[in-house]
Amino acid sequence: MAKPLVLAALMLLAFSFAGYRFFLRLRPMFSAPGIDRLDHIGERLWGLVPNVLLHRRLLNIRYSGILHAMIFSSFIVLFTAIVQAFGSGLFPGFSLAPVGGNSVIALLQDVFAVVIMIGVGMAFYNRYVIKPARFKGSNNKDATVILILVTGVVTSMLLEFSFHIAAGGDPSAPWRPLSSTIARLLEALGFEGESADRAAHVFYWVHVCVILSFLTYIPGSKHLHMFAAIPNIFLRNIGPKGQSRTPDPKAAHIGLSDVRALDWKGMLDLYSCTECGRCQAACPAYAAGLPLSPKILIMNMRDALIDETVTHTATAPAAVPAAGSNLEALVGSVISEQTLWSCTTCRACMEVCPLHIEHVPKIIDMRRHMVEEGHVTPGIQDAMASFQQYGNSFKKPPRMRAKWTSGLDFKIKDARKEEVDILWFVGDYASYDPRVQRITQTVARLLQKAGVDFGILYDAEQNSGNDVRRVGDEGLFQTLSEHNIEALGNCSFKRIMTTDPHSLNALRQEYPAQGAEYEVVHYTQLLLELMREGKIAKAANEKVQGTVTYHDPCYLGRYNNGFEPPRQIMAELGYKLHEMARCRENSFCCGAGGGRIWQDDTGVKERPSENRIREALALGDATIFAVACPKDLVMYTAAVQSLAVEDKIQVKDIAELFA
Amino acid sequence: MHIVTVVRLVPDLLEEIQVNEQGTDIDREWIGVKLCEFDDHALEEAVLIKEATGATVTALGIAVEGIDRVLQSAVARGADRAVKIECGETNLDSRSFAKLLSETLPQLKPDLVLAGVQTPEDLFGQLVPFLGTLMGRPHASGVTGAQAEGNAVKIQQEYGAGRAARLTLALPAVLGIQSASQPPRYVSGTKLRQAIQGTKIETLSATASAGGSGTVKEMRRPARGQGAEMIEGEAEEVAGKIYDALVGRGLVGGK
Ligand code: SF4
Ligand code: SF4
């Protein structure tokens, strides 16, 4: 009779302690601002299939994905062993035998004990021998403790089973090949009958104790993801990727200055992070040597939230507050301003995170706070002041916006005065930057030749506000978008075309929340349509020479799923495309997005654009570096020049490939 | 303490400037305007003094097209009041402007008046000395920082070759600000929008008296110089050609 009582007491102790630790973590979530993440339940559930069952993102890194799949599946199977251990301990006579506990389940337990041990071995090997760079900054000790605890759980379980079999009369013995083998070994060592039974007993308690300590350890560990991951993936953002959250207009303060002001899902994000470092490995700012690692950003925010929880609880074990855990000053102490200004909002981190953690909205929200406080870098201040005065970042009067058209031998329709089929929203770089104007003219000529009925807004166009919003100046974004929406509202057109993916994103994904919906296409899509309709001659076919590699712009690819049209254009024109390893969803940002283009290179060790050109050169045969974004043209032309490789590779816009 | 800071709209020099048909002024019909950069610094300095002492700051401008927006952004930056003077004139020269201000300012009872040290149209920075004289108050120009202390204002003036002066002026005083103690702060679009929606602009009426600085008889664009000479070739060759060019123009000793 003592066993159930002792076990119940142990469980009570462990459960209350673990429960208390869970409560500490979860408490701030109860008072956190709300966010609607319980819509479209079906879609949310369905998403668990690729993300949890199939391990799709995890398997992007094959080795780690496989080892995780091994451990994950074993956990599910071995959960039966836990049920069995605690069930039989609490209720004498409890057994899983009626559902196969002595046959199939027993076999599975033995098999998966092997699977998990191989998985754990691979994890150890990964952590101590392979040592991927992405682990830099992660808590290695925590990971090791967990691996040891898992080993403890499985070994004690196996030994308990084996001693049980050695003691004789275990009905599951024929179904437990591994335990039976160990049992024979134990018998050889002299464990039989009574002594084996006693040892089985000992290992039963060891097993139970390791499991309970595992449980109490978890709330303070990155392995909280065992509980948080599935809910976090279920509650992921399924809204438009390129739509920033509109701050509550009634809120007294715009932006995030206190980690406790994060919405509850944002907090769950922090608890879900496994410190796997995939985001860090994908981050262009981190690669450039800037003081930003999306992983460490999440970890620091999490630690700040936890610190606060612990220090606010009188009865909790006294924790030493980490340096700078003053939460009133989240921005500037927990997360430095420089860190926040380093982000290009390229979304690579979010795309690879197996937990669907949302880094970018947090960064933008903290930037909003800085902007409202007037804490911006000189480059940003300059650009924003230019937007406020002129509606573009070039400090050019609106009247000069359409000056590029003077290089054409035909007049482009003024969409404010005439009805058009296609309204071309040109964008700042394409309009004002002399390096891009040439391409803008090329696109205009292509459209003209194809007989497209198109027009532009002339001086009524202003910057779409996409990057302004990402810099965190919400009010300025509102002003710019209102201006453009009004201008567009006075025109009559069927579709909007943009050459600039940033404008594309704003018009397609941001403006609907401002009450304006349009059908917006990227020029690569339109050109492809025209080509397929036979309206643009595939003139290049005979002349095509050399191999092309293509850079996916973040705001066309990851944000707007525009992966295919540029590729199909190149294929139909007859170019041979040699893809870089980092392509499509894994494309590597040029370093210009999110307002980075207006900042200087302070702290940059290797420019992302140069890193990218090196990647292209390493392909060996690519002589053309194709782009589909005006900012890319600027960034990569500069990179090719500063690497002095103009003779090896040429940056060309997709539109130029038609020539 | 009450600080009045003058804001003036000046032609935006980034735009292409045309001379009007009469050839007496720039063509103001099409030119863009913006807040004078020095006035921007004066405003910043006023707000800095306000933050240090709790003073009240009033931004003051002539009622011309675009002034409302500038006054609103001054409020977004930290000014407490926005006042415009309705005088029927839009293009006052510095002397008339000083006269107008000296007649209008007493209504606002300022302890300190700040203005930018010069504008593209007041290149010699005459507004502040005129105003100080007309109002009979101590004044100083070329100020690069000002702190209010009791009944006085301490100022810094920078001269060439690293020299600087610190002066104390009794209040009330008039200062021409060259640069604020800190670069003008950033005002977010949100604050600007709030100020645009929420700022009440007060109006003072006054009559501008005729100018006293003379009239412009002729204005023309500077004559275009000869085209540049492009020097090409190897470094040594280029150096030789530069040397010859300098000697040829008598700029370097020769033999
Ligand atoms: S959005 Fe891009 S730059 Fe910003 S943290 Fe993520 S990966 Fe890094
Ligand atoms: S945020 Fe996601 S990708 Fe980055 S370390 Fe955490 S779990 Fe890994």
mmCIF file of all heavy atoms in Angstrom, chain A residues 254 371-372 374 376 381 384 388-390 395 397 399 473 475-476 478-479 482, chain B residues 12 14-15 30-34 69 184-193:
data_model
loop_
_atom_site.group_PDB
_atom_site.id
_atom_site.type_symbol
_atom_site.label_atom_id
_atom_site.label_comp_id
_atom_site.label_asym_id
_atom_site.label_seq_id
_atom_site.Cartn_x
_atom_site.Cartn_y
_atom_site.Cartn_z
ATOM 1 N N ILE A 254 2.329 54.576 -28.856
ATOM 2 C CA ILE A 254 2.535 53.691 -30.000
ATOM 3 C C ILE A 254 3.872 52.997 -29.836
ATOM 4 O O ILE A 254 4.867 53.632 -29.490
ATOM 5 C CB ILE A 254 2.528 54.506 -31.304
ATOM 6 C CG1 ILE A 254 1.137 55.092 -31.529
ATOM 7 C CG2 ILE A 254 2.933 53.645 -32.489
ATOM 8 C CD1 ILE A 254 1.025 55.887 -32.804
ATOM 9 N N VAL A 371 10.913 55.620 -32.617
ATOM 10 C CA VAL A 371 10.546 56.723 -33.501
ATOM 11 C C VAL A 371 9.696 57.751 -32.755
ATOM 12 O O VAL A 371 9.925 58.959 -32.846
ATOM 13 C CB VAL A 371 9.798 56.181 -34.741
ATOM 14 C CG1 VAL A 371 9.077 57.297 -35.486
ATOM 15 C CG2 VAL A 371 10.772 55.483 -35.674
ATOM 16 N N GLU A 372 8.743 57.263 -31.975
ATOM 17 C CA GLU A 372 7.883 58.206 -31.246
ATOM 18 C C GLU A 372 8.697 59.001 -30.231
ATOM 19 O O GLU A 372 8.376 60.138 -29.916
ATOM 20 C CB GLU A 372 6.725 57.473 -30.553
ATOM 21 C CG GLU A 372 5.698 56.871 -31.510
ATOM 22 C CD GLU A 372 5.214 57.819 -32.604
ATOM 23 O OE1 GLU A 372 5.013 59.016 -32.323
ATOM 24 O OE2 GLU A 372 5.076 57.374 -33.759
ATOM 25 N N GLY A 374 11.616 59.934 -30.772
ATOM 26 C CA GLY A 374 12.571 60.742 -31.526
ATOM 27 C C GLY A 374 13.966 60.137 -31.573
ATOM 28 O O GLY A 374 14.920 60.805 -31.940
ATOM 29 N N VAL A 376 16.155 58.214 -33.529
ATOM 30 C CA VAL A 376 16.415 57.581 -34.818
ATOM 31 C C VAL A 376 17.852 57.884 -35.216
ATOM 32 O O VAL A 376 18.468 58.790 -34.678
ATOM 33 C CB VAL A 376 15.448 58.094 -35.907
ATOM 34 C CG1 VAL A 376 14.024 57.702 -35.605
ATOM 35 C CG2 VAL A 376 15.536 59.608 -36.031
ATOM 36 N N GLN A 381 16.580 59.808 -39.939
ATOM 37 C CA GLN A 381 15.977 61.122 -39.738
ATOM 38 C C GLN A 381 15.960 61.914 -41.038
ATOM 39 O O GLN A 381 14.971 62.539 -41.411
ATOM 40 C CB GLN A 381 16.746 61.904 -38.656
ATOM 41 C CG GLN A 381 16.205 63.317 -38.478
ATOM 42 C CD GLN A 381 16.637 63.955 -37.166
ATOM 43 O OE1 GLN A 381 17.345 63.339 -36.371
ATOM 44 N NE2 GLN A 381 16.215 65.180 -36.936
ATOM 45 N N MET A 384 13.366 60.338 -43.407
ATOM 46 C CA MET A 384 11.984 60.577 -42.990
ATOM 47 C C MET A 384 11.615 62.047 -43.194
ATOM 48 O O MET A 384 10.506 62.372 -43.592
ATOM 49 C CB MET A 384 11.762 60.192 -41.525
ATOM 50 C CG MET A 384 11.950 58.730 -41.217
ATOM 51 S SD MET A 384 10.890 57.630 -42.167
ATOM 52 C CE MET A 384 12.114 56.664 -42.995
ATOM 53 N N GLN A 388 8.602 63.560 -45.347
ATOM 54 C CA GLN A 388 7.622 64.522 -44.829
ATOM 55 C C GLN A 388 7.533 65.736 -45.750
ATOM 56 O O GLN A 388 6.460 66.264 -45.991
ATOM 57 C CB GLN A 388 8.012 64.965 -43.411
ATOM 58 C CG GLN A 388 7.786 63.863 -42.375
ATOM 59 C CD GLN A 388 8.180 64.272 -40.962
ATOM 60 O OE1 GLN A 388 8.723 65.353 -40.744
ATOM 61 N NE2 GLN A 388 7.907 63.404 -39.994
ATOM 62 N N GLN A 389 8.664 66.153 -46.270
ATOM 63 C CA GLN A 389 8.669 67.359 -47.083
ATOM 64 C C GLN A 389 8.288 67.087 -48.546
ATOM 65 O O GLN A 389 7.537 67.837 -49.131
ATOM 66 C CB GLN A 389 10.070 67.992 -47.008
ATOM 67 C CG GLN A 389 10.298 69.153 -47.952
ATOM 68 C CD GLN A 389 9.888 70.496 -47.342
ATOM 69 O OE1 GLN A 389 9.551 70.578 -46.170
ATOM 70 N NE2 GLN A 389 9.907 71.539 -48.138
ATOM 71 N N TYR A 390 8.849 66.000 -49.094
ATOM 72 C CA TYR A 390 8.702 65.804 -50.548
ATOM 73 C C TYR A 390 7.921 64.552 -50.952
ATOM 74 O O TYR A 390 7.634 64.374 -52.121
ATOM 75 C CB TYR A 390 10.087 65.707 -51.207
ATOM 76 C CG TYR A 390 10.997 66.865 -50.911
ATOM 77 C CD1 TYR A 390 12.032 66.723 -49.991
ATOM 78 C CD2 TYR A 390 10.827 68.088 -51.537
ATOM 79 C CE1 TYR A 390 12.882 67.783 -49.704
ATOM 80 C CE2 TYR A 390 11.658 69.146 -51.262
ATOM 81 C CZ TYR A 390 12.684 68.999 -50.352
ATOM 82 O OH TYR A 390 13.512 70.046 -50.063
ATOM 83 N N LYS A 395 14.865 63.749 -51.641
ATOM 84 C CA LYS A 395 14.845 65.203 -51.507
ATOM 85 C C LYS A 395 14.631 65.847 -52.860
ATOM 86 O O LYS A 395 15.269 66.842 -53.197
ATOM 87 C CB LYS A 395 16.159 65.710 -50.898
ATOM 88 C CG LYS A 395 16.343 65.299 -49.462
ATOM 89 C CD LYS A 395 17.439 66.099 -48.818
ATOM 90 C CE LYS A 395 17.717 65.627 -47.421
ATOM 91 N NZ LYS A 395 19.120 65.461 -47.129
ATOM 92 N N PRO A 397 11.793 67.339 -55.637
ATOM 93 C CA PRO A 397 10.406 67.801 -55.687
ATOM 94 C C PRO A 397 9.548 66.831 -56.491
ATOM 95 O O PRO A 397 10.048 66.176 -57.420
ATOM 96 C CB PRO A 397 10.513 69.140 -56.409
ATOM 97 C CG PRO A 397 11.836 69.153 -57.052
ATOM 98 C CD PRO A 397 12.731 68.249 -56.276
ATOM 99 N N ARG A 399 7.580 67.290 -58.754
ATOM 100 C CA ARG A 399 7.538 67.557 -60.188
ATOM 101 C C ARG A 399 8.614 66.794 -60.957
ATOM 102 O O ARG A 399 8.495 66.565 -62.146
ATOM 103 C CB ARG A 399 7.704 69.061 -60.447
ATOM 104 C CG ARG A 399 6.398 69.818 -60.505
ATOM 105 C CD ARG A 399 6.612 71.282 -60.767
ATOM 106 N NE ARG A 399 7.398 71.890 -59.694
ATOM 107 C CZ ARG A 399 8.580 72.434 -59.850
ATOM 108 N NH1 ARG A 399 9.133 72.462 -61.030
ATOM 109 N NH2 ARG A 399 9.213 72.962 -58.824
ATOM 110 N N ASP A 473 7.729 54.479 -38.460
ATOM 111 C CA ASP A 473 6.992 55.745 -38.417
ATOM 112 C C ASP A 473 5.581 55.523 -38.946
ATOM 113 O O ASP A 473 5.295 55.689 -40.128
ATOM 114 C CB ASP A 473 7.703 56.850 -39.203
ATOM 115 C CG ASP A 473 7.180 58.222 -38.787
ATOM 116 O OD1 ASP A 473 5.997 58.298 -38.371
ATOM 117 O OD2 ASP A 473 7.927 59.209 -38.866
ATOM 118 N N GLY A 475 2.769 57.135 -38.292
ATOM 119 C CA GLY A 475 2.024 58.312 -38.719
ATOM 120 C C GLY A 475 2.399 58.732 -40.127
ATOM 121 O O GLY A 475 1.544 59.068 -40.947
ATOM 122 N N LEU A 476 3.677 58.660 -40.422
ATOM 123 C CA LEU A 476 4.140 59.033 -41.749
ATOM 124 C C LEU A 476 3.621 58.042 -42.787
ATOM 125 O O LEU A 476 3.230 58.416 -43.893
ATOM 126 C CB LEU A 476 5.674 59.106 -41.775
ATOM 127 C CG LEU A 476 6.336 59.590 -43.051
ATOM 128 C CD1 LEU A 476 5.757 60.897 -43.535
ATOM 129 C CD2 LEU A 476 7.843 59.737 -42.841
ATOM 130 N N GLN A 478 0.826 56.485 -42.560
ATOM 131 C CA GLN A 478 -0.585 56.831 -42.755
ATOM 132 C C GLN A 478 -0.705 57.999 -43.734
ATOM 133 O O GLN A 478 -1.506 57.975 -44.660
ATOM 134 C CB GLN A 478 -1.242 57.242 -41.422
ATOM 135 C CG GLN A 478 -1.221 56.176 -40.342
ATOM 136 C CD GLN A 478 -2.090 54.988 -40.652
ATOM 137 O OE1 GLN A 478 -2.953 55.071 -41.499
ATOM 138 N NE2 GLN A 478 -1.849 53.865 -39.990
ATOM 139 N N THR A 479 0.135 59.008 -43.524
ATOM 140 C CA THR A 479 0.071 60.194 -44.381
ATOM 141 C C THR A 479 0.357 59.828 -45.835
ATOM 142 O O THR A 479 -0.373 60.227 -46.741
ATOM 143 C CB THR A 479 1.096 61.237 -43.897
ATOM 144 O OG1 THR A 479 0.840 61.487 -42.509
ATOM 145 C CG2 THR A 479 0.982 62.528 -44.662
ATOM 146 N N GLU A 482 -2.469 57.588 -47.286
ATOM 147 C CA GLU A 482 -3.687 58.362 -47.553
ATOM 148 C C GLU A 482 -3.528 59.172 -48.838
ATOM 149 O O GLU A 482 -4.445 59.248 -49.655
ATOM 150 C CB GLU A 482 -3.984 59.321 -46.386
ATOM 151 C CG GLU A 482 -4.656 58.625 -45.218
ATOM 152 C CD GLU A 482 -4.614 59.466 -43.943
ATOM 153 O OE1 GLU A 482 -4.370 60.686 -44.043
ATOM 154 O OE2 GLU A 482 -4.831 58.884 -42.861
ATOM 155 N N ASP B 12 13.005 76.639 -51.496
ATOM 156 C CA ASP B 12 13.730 75.383 -51.372
ATOM 157 C C ASP B 12 14.815 75.356 -52.445
ATOM 158 O O ASP B 12 14.541 75.256 -53.632
ATOM 159 C CB ASP B 12 12.750 74.224 -51.575
ATOM 160 C CG ASP B 12 13.401 72.901 -51.283
ATOM 161 O OD1 ASP B 12 14.646 72.864 -51.177
ATOM 162 O OD2 ASP B 12 12.669 71.905 -51.148
ATOM 163 N N LEU B 14 16.762 73.195 -53.307
ATOM 164 C CA LEU B 14 16.961 71.950 -54.044
ATOM 165 C C LEU B 14 16.216 71.992 -55.373
ATOM 166 O O LEU B 14 16.453 71.202 -56.259
ATOM 167 C CB LEU B 14 16.474 70.769 -53.223
ATOM 168 C CG LEU B 14 17.361 70.414 -52.035
ATOM 169 C CD1 LEU B 14 16.661 69.435 -51.134
ATOM 170 C CD2 LEU B 14 18.675 69.843 -52.529
ATOM 171 N N GLU B 15 15.265 72.924 -55.443
ATOM 172 C CA GLU B 15 14.502 73.000 -56.691
ATOM 173 C C GLU B 15 15.198 73.952 -57.652
ATOM 174 O O GLU B 15 16.017 74.774 -57.264
ATOM 175 C CB GLU B 15 13.101 73.518 -56.384
ATOM 176 C CG GLU B 15 12.392 72.612 -55.410
ATOM 177 C CD GLU B 15 10.905 72.644 -55.564
ATOM 178 O OE1 GLU B 15 10.443 73.008 -56.661
ATOM 179 O OE2 GLU B 15 10.210 72.322 -54.598
ATOM 180 N N TRP B 30 6.133 79.016 -58.707
ATOM 181 C CA TRP B 30 6.299 77.574 -58.796
ATOM 182 C C TRP B 30 7.279 77.007 -57.780
ATOM 183 O O TRP B 30 7.378 75.808 -57.607
ATOM 184 C CB TRP B 30 6.786 77.201 -60.212
ATOM 185 C CG TRP B 30 5.718 77.457 -61.214
ATOM 186 C CD1 TRP B 30 5.652 78.466 -62.110
ATOM 187 C CD2 TRP B 30 4.520 76.697 -61.366
ATOM 188 N NE1 TRP B 30 4.509 78.396 -62.826
ATOM 189 C CE2 TRP B 30 3.780 77.314 -62.393
ATOM 190 C CE3 TRP B 30 3.997 75.570 -60.740
ATOM 191 C CZ2 TRP B 30 2.548 76.825 -62.812
ATOM 192 C CZ3 TRP B 30 2.784 75.094 -61.161
ATOM 193 C CH2 TRP B 30 2.065 75.706 -62.181
ATOM 194 N N ILE B 31 7.970 77.903 -57.133
ATOM 195 C CA ILE B 31 9.038 77.409 -56.286
ATOM 196 C C ILE B 31 8.478 76.759 -55.007
ATOM 197 O O ILE B 31 7.495 77.227 -54.451
ATOM 198 C CB ILE B 31 9.995 78.585 -55.935
ATOM 199 C CG1 ILE B 31 11.250 78.085 -55.253
ATOM 200 C CG2 ILE B 31 9.310 79.600 -55.055
ATOM 201 C CD1 ILE B 31 12.208 77.508 -56.215
ATOM 202 N N GLY B 32 9.114 75.678 -54.583
ATOM 203 C CA GLY B 32 8.720 75.067 -53.316
ATOM 204 C C GLY B 32 9.309 75.857 -52.164
ATOM 205 O O GLY B 32 10.335 76.518 -52.321
ATOM 206 N N VAL B 33 8.649 75.831 -51.042
ATOM 207 C CA VAL B 33 9.199 76.537 -49.888
ATOM 208 C C VAL B 33 9.390 75.569 -48.737
ATOM 209 O O VAL B 33 8.762 74.523 -48.672
ATOM 210 C CB VAL B 33 8.275 77.681 -49.422
ATOM 211 C CG1 VAL B 33 8.343 78.849 -50.359
ATOM 212 C CG2 VAL B 33 6.865 77.184 -49.226
ATOM 213 N N LYS B 34 10.273 75.940 -47.843
ATOM 214 C CA LYS B 34 10.444 75.126 -46.644
ATOM 215 C C LYS B 34 10.899 76.005 -45.489
ATOM 216 O O LYS B 34 11.286 77.169 -45.692
ATOM 217 C CB LYS B 34 11.431 74.002 -46.892
ATOM 218 C CG LYS B 34 12.825 74.475 -47.303
ATOM 219 C CD LYS B 34 13.695 73.266 -47.482
ATOM 220 C CE LYS B 34 15.061 73.500 -46.857
ATOM 221 N NZ LYS B 34 15.918 72.357 -46.915
ATOM 222 N N ARG B 69 1.321 74.796 -41.783
ATOM 223 C CA ARG B 69 1.981 73.498 -41.645
ATOM 224 C C ARG B 69 3.261 73.622 -40.828
ATOM 225 O O ARG B 69 3.566 72.796 -39.976
ATOM 226 C CB ARG B 69 2.283 72.973 -43.043
ATOM 227 C CG ARG B 69 2.788 71.571 -43.108
ATOM 228 C CD ARG B 69 1.707 70.606 -42.642
ATOM 229 N NE ARG B 69 2.241 69.256 -42.577
ATOM 230 C CZ ARG B 69 2.171 68.399 -43.589
ATOM 231 N NH1 ARG B 69 1.597 68.741 -44.702
ATOM 232 N NH2 ARG B 69 2.678 67.187 -43.466
ATOM 233 N N PRO B 184 18.477 69.470 -34.501
ATOM 234 C CA PRO B 184 17.020 69.442 -34.374
ATOM 235 C C PRO B 184 16.507 68.016 -34.255
ATOM 236 O O PRO B 184 16.963 67.138 -34.984
ATOM 237 C CB PRO B 184 16.537 70.105 -35.661
ATOM 238 C CG PRO B 184 17.639 71.019 -36.043
ATOM 239 C CD PRO B 184 18.905 70.324 -35.628
ATOM 240 N N ARG B 185 15.587 67.834 -33.342
ATOM 241 C CA ARG B 185 15.113 66.476 -33.061
ATOM 242 C C ARG B 185 14.194 65.976 -34.168
ATOM 243 O O ARG B 185 13.703 66.750 -34.989
ATOM 244 C CB ARG B 185 14.387 66.456 -31.736
ATOM 245 C CG ARG B 185 13.064 67.203 -31.758
ATOM 246 C CD ARG B 185 12.581 67.477 -30.366
ATOM 247 N NE ARG B 185 13.530 68.320 -29.628
ATOM 248 C CZ ARG B 185 13.508 68.428 -28.300
ATOM 249 N NH1 ARG B 185 12.614 67.785 -27.595
ATOM 250 N NH2 ARG B 185 14.376 69.207 -27.692
ATOM 251 N N TYR B 186 13.959 64.672 -34.120
ATOM 252 C CA TYR B 186 13.072 64.064 -35.101
ATOM 253 C C TYR B 186 11.639 64.076 -34.572
ATOM 254 O O TYR B 186 11.397 63.705 -33.432
ATOM 255 C CB TYR B 186 13.517 62.627 -35.371
ATOM 256 C CG TYR B 186 12.612 61.932 -36.336
ATOM 257 C CD1 TYR B 186 12.498 62.395 -37.637
ATOM 258 C CD2 TYR B 186 11.861 60.838 -35.954
ATOM 259 C CE1 TYR B 186 11.650 61.781 -38.532
ATOM 260 C CE2 TYR B 186 11.020 60.211 -36.844
ATOM 261 C CZ TYR B 186 10.921 60.692 -38.126
ATOM 262 O OH TYR B 186 10.080 60.078 -39.007
ATOM 263 N N VAL B 187 10.732 64.482 -35.404
ATOM 264 C CA VAL B 187 9.329 64.451 -35.019
ATOM 265 C C VAL B 187 8.640 63.398 -35.848
ATOM 266 O O VAL B 187 8.644 63.461 -37.076
ATOM 267 C CB VAL B 187 8.658 65.811 -35.283
ATOM 268 C CG1 VAL B 187 7.233 65.777 -34.799
ATOM 269 C CG2 VAL B 187 9.415 66.892 -34.579
ATOM 270 N N SER B 188 8.053 62.427 -35.188
ATOM 271 C CA SER B 188 7.434 61.326 -35.921
ATOM 272 C C SER B 188 6.200 61.823 -36.655
ATOM 273 O O SER B 188 5.577 62.815 -36.279
ATOM 274 C CB SER B 188 7.042 60.219 -34.957
ATOM 275 O OG SER B 188 5.919 60.619 -34.211
ATOM 276 N N GLY B 189 5.851 61.080 -37.686
ATOM 277 C CA GLY B 189 4.657 61.388 -38.462
ATOM 278 C C GLY B 189 3.408 61.396 -37.592
ATOM 279 O O GLY B 189 2.469 62.141 -37.841
ATOM 280 N N THR B 190 3.415 60.544 -36.565
ATOM 281 C CA THR B 190 2.245 60.483 -35.694
ATOM 282 C C THR B 190 2.067 61.793 -34.934
ATOM 283 O O THR B 190 0.966 62.340 -34.860
ATOM 284 C CB THR B 190 2.407 59.332 -34.676
ATOM 285 O OG1 THR B 190 2.922 58.213 -35.375
ATOM 286 C CG2 THR B 190 1.105 59.005 -34.022
ATOM 287 N N LYS B 191 3.173 62.291 -34.397
ATOM 288 C CA LYS B 191 3.089 63.544 -33.645
ATOM 289 C C LYS B 191 2.690 64.685 -34.572
ATOM 290 O O LYS B 191 1.939 65.573 -34.194
ATOM 291 C CB LYS B 191 4.446 63.862 -33.001
ATOM 292 C CG LYS B 191 4.780 62.932 -31.860
ATOM 293 C CD LYS B 191 5.713 63.620 -30.869
ATOM 294 C CE LYS B 191 5.995 62.736 -29.683
ATOM 295 N NZ LYS B 191 7.370 62.247 -29.659
ATOM 296 N N LEU B 192 3.220 64.618 -35.784
ATOM 297 C CA LEU B 192 2.903 65.654 -36.754
ATOM 298 C C LEU B 192 1.410 65.638 -37.076
ATOM 299 O O LEU B 192 0.751 66.683 -37.116
ATOM 300 C CB LEU B 192 3.718 65.387 -38.025
ATOM 301 C CG LEU B 192 4.044 66.564 -38.899
ATOM 302 C CD1 LEU B 192 4.746 67.650 -38.098
ATOM 303 C CD2 LEU B 192 4.956 66.119 -40.041
ATOM 304 N N ARG B 193 0.885 64.451 -37.268
ATOM 305 C CA ARG B 193 -0.540 64.339 -37.580
ATOM 306 C C ARG B 193 -1.391 64.865 -36.434
ATOM 307 O O ARG B 193 -2.385 65.542 -36.641
ATOM 308 C CB ARG B 193 -0.904 62.882 -37.871
ATOM 309 C CG ARG B 193 -0.413 62.399 -39.213
ATOM 310 C CD ARG B 193 -0.493 60.902 -39.305
ATOM 311 N NE ARG B 193 -1.861 60.411 -39.449
ATOM 312 C CZ ARG B 193 -2.496 60.312 -40.609
ATOM 313 N NH1 ARG B 193 -1.890 60.694 -41.722
ATOM 314 N NH2 ARG B 193 -3.731 59.836 -40.679
#
